[in-house]
Amino acid sequence: VQLVESGGGLVQAGESLRLSCSASGIAFSSNILRWYRQAPGKRRDMVATIAPDDSPNYADSVKGRFIISRDNTKNVVYLQMNNLTPEDTGVYYCNAVSPKYVGRKPGFEGQGTLVTVSS
């Protein structure tokens, strides 16, 4: 199993980034896909999730600014991040978990991609 995030970088406040996570070795279309982020010195928080039926869920802090999507033909999950603020700075991780294991197993996760937003 491998999940590889990409698309991070340094941007200014108000700009946009699109993160990608390419997965292999899992039944991608049947997994719940999640993006987490961890800011320096803070705990890891969920940012967005997308279910196998494409229904999304977002943290309150990113609602209206971030969009999660998935392409089951390419085994890729995306996170479009708009109107970024310095508070969005952190390492972003993608995670894949089977619905039957939610709350029981942590799922598979990538190494993360760093997003830095300057003011």
Side-chain angles (χ1 to χ4, degrees), residues 60-91:
D60 288 342
S61 60
V62 307
K63 281 181 181 176
R65 300 188 298 122
F66 290 13
I67 301 171
I68 188 171
S69 61
R70 63 194 296 162
D71 186 338
N72 292 335
T73 66
K74 299 179 179 178
N75 285 7
V76 178
V77 57
Y78 303 99
L79 186 68
Q80 176 67 41
M81 306 186 295
N82 301 318
N83 193 22
L84 286 160
T85 73
E87 288 69 35
D88 295 317
T89 294
V91 179

